[in-house]
Amino acid sequence: QVRPVESGGGLVQPGGSLRLSCSAPGSISGAKSLGWYRQAPGKQRELVAEIISGGITNYTDSVKGRFTISRDNSKNTMYLQMNSLKPEDTAVYYCYVNHYFGSYWGQGTQVSVSS
């Protein structure tokens, strides 16, 4: 009931864009933090972007200037806008909702960047 659900993944050519959505079953307005992670085959899962206290956003260096994390509290949804995609961005992307009472992972959505 409390597990968020990702959507918006797919296949895109290098240089293209995708917008991922993460729908939470309840309010995210009071979340301690929100984040997007990704994991490629044979690779370690890594933090891509997050929103922390005060609405501050942080990005891993490899996506700075290309990805944007955002939220819409009225829709209980968070987003990851991905532009100028590269083959190295290919991975399963997971959203993470970190509440004060518990933390929840989505099941992931596949993003494939290939020509």
Side-chain angles (χ1 to χ4, degrees), residues 5-75:
V5 179
E6 303 95 338
S7 62
L11 176 64
V12 65
Q13 293 186 332
S17 298
L18 284 174
R19 184 189 186 226
L20 305 183
S21 298
C22 173
S23 178
S27 176
I28 62 170
S29 62
K32 185 186 299 182
S33 67
L34 304 170
W36 286 97
Y37 292 73
R38 68 185 181 187
Q39 187 167 24
K43 302 285 187 178
Q44 183 179 9
R45 184 175 296 190
E46 65 172 340
L47 174 67
V48 177
E50 64 177 357
I51 302 175
I52 60 175
S53 180
I56 302 297
T57 58
N58 298 118
Y59 300 89
T60 191
D61 287 344
S62 64
V63 308
K64 285 182 178 177
R66 300 189 298 120
F67 291 12
T68 303
I69 187 172
S70 62
R71 67 195 294 175
D72 186 338
N73 290 341
S74 69
K75 297 180 179 180

